[in-house]
Amino acid sequence: MSSAVVWHDLECGRYTADLPLWLELAARHAAGDDAEILDVGAGTGRVSLALARAGHRVTALDLDSELLAECGRRAAGLPLHTVTADARHFELGDQRFALALAPMQTVQLLGGRAGRDEFLATTARHLRPGGVLAVALAASADFEEFEWHDGDPGPLPDIVERDGTVYCSQPTAVRRRQQSFLLERRREIIDPHGGSERSEDSIALDMLSADELQLAGREAGLTPLGVRLIAATGEHIGSEVVLLGR
């Protein structure tokens, strides 16, 4: 298993608080034999696999082919196939989906309004009439700026062991930078002989409210259908899930 897959599973793959909502939406909007679901930003298949195991036909889309390869391996025998493509401008031919999902903060990783508008327009074209797009946003009110240093009390690290190698991911800061939040982590790999390697990782999330996304959805020809809430957990902030219909 590659280090990219390990980091993705460690930092994203353990989150489960949103799965009941995706399964509920799938049962409501994609229950027919001809209904298909699009999972945008699927990664190693955290959401896609849960949906496929529930019997839904799923297309898992992500820009990272390495993560998708692992998703495909894990999906052996399930009604799931993978597509390597950019969420902002993918083209899937005649495929039309009953339900499209953008879990976690996928839509906040698209480079601001221009990328977000591209994503909405592209996804709208791939929804069948009556289809629904569900987009999760990090709840801005849950963000608290902080900076962690060695020895300070702070968030517990995420840790996993693979084949004798230990991977540790420690949140070190959340900073507000104009129209985004910057999330910083320190990653450490400890090999079976005790040697270690450290690196820094950061990710920028666009600041985006449910109202702003609903307005952008209207401009893309979609109809706002409401907002669902996913409560914060001890390890993850809450989410607002904006529903948009075609």
Side-chain angles (χ1 to χ4, degrees):
M1 185 179 296
S2 73
S3 60
V5 169
V6 174
W7 289 126
H8 187 272
D9 283 347
L10 180 61
E11 297 170 352
C12 304
R14 295 178 173 182
Y15 182 60
T16 60
D18 60 342
L19 293 181
L21 177 57
W22 306 133
L23 290 166
E24 175 196 326
L25 293 175
R28 181 179 303 172
H29 300 290
D33 291 339
D34 63 339
E36 295 186 58
I37 299 173
L38 176 65
D39 179 14
V40 180
T44 58
R46 184 184 67 85
V47 175
S48 291
L49 292 169
L51 293 170
R53 287 171 183 144
H56 298 285
R57 297 166 59 195
V58 182
T59 294
L61 185 147
D62 201 285
L63 187 59
D64 192 317
S65 59
E66 191 172 9
L67 300 183
L68 278 183
E70 180 63 19
C71 176
R73 186 191 69 78
R74 295 174 182 180
L78 294 173
L80 182 154
H81 77 278
T82 63
V83 174
T84 303
D86 192 312
R88 291 164 291 194
H89 39 74
F90 56 90
E91 178 51 62
L92 302 181
D94 294 333
Q95 273 190 288
R96 295 295 180 267
F97 297 92
L99 177 66
L101 309 176
M104 294 189 82
Q105 298 89 35
T106 298
V107 75
Q108 292 168 273
L109 299 171
L110 301 179
R113 180 174 178 177
R116 186 162 60 245
D117 288 349
E118 283 185 288
F119 158 74
L120 290 169
T122 298
T123 306
R125 290 197 302 272
H126 285 83
L127 288 176
R128 69 185 191 182
V132 172
L133 168 61
V135 181
L137 304 175
S140 297
D142 286 355
F143 276 108
E144 293 184 9
E145 291 189 86
F146 80 94
E147 184 169 357
W148 178 86
H149 300 282
D150 288 332
D152 291 346
L156 293 174
D158 296 312
I159 301 174
V160 70
E161 182 269 331
R162 293 287 183 270
D163 300 324
T165 298
V166 175
Y167 297 79
C168 177
S169 176
Q170 173 68 60
T172 56
V174 173
R175 311 176 196 276
R176 183 167 179 170
R177 291 289 184 268
Q178 296 181 336
Q179 295 304 306
S180 67
F181 286 102
L182 188 66
L183 283 58
E184 300 178 1
R185 287 178 174 266
R186 175 184 296 166
R187 291 174 170 177
E188 184 173 9
I189 301 174
I190 304 171
D191 66 37
H193 307 290
S196 66
E197 175 185 338
R198 283 186 176 185
S199 62
E200 305 297 326
D201 182 74
S202 65
I203 185 171
L205 298 180
D206 297 331
M207 294 180 63
L208 178 63
S209 70
D211 288 344
E212 290 173 314
L213 185 58
Q214 288 176 317
L215 178 59
R218 286 187 184 277
E219 293 173 351
L222 298 170
T223 301
L225 300 176
V227 179
R228 299 289 297 273
L229 302 179
I230 299 172
T233 70
E235 298 179 347
H236 297 90
I237 65 173
S239 298
E240 298 175 291
V241 177
V242 176
L243 304 178
L244 300 165
R246 182 171 183 270

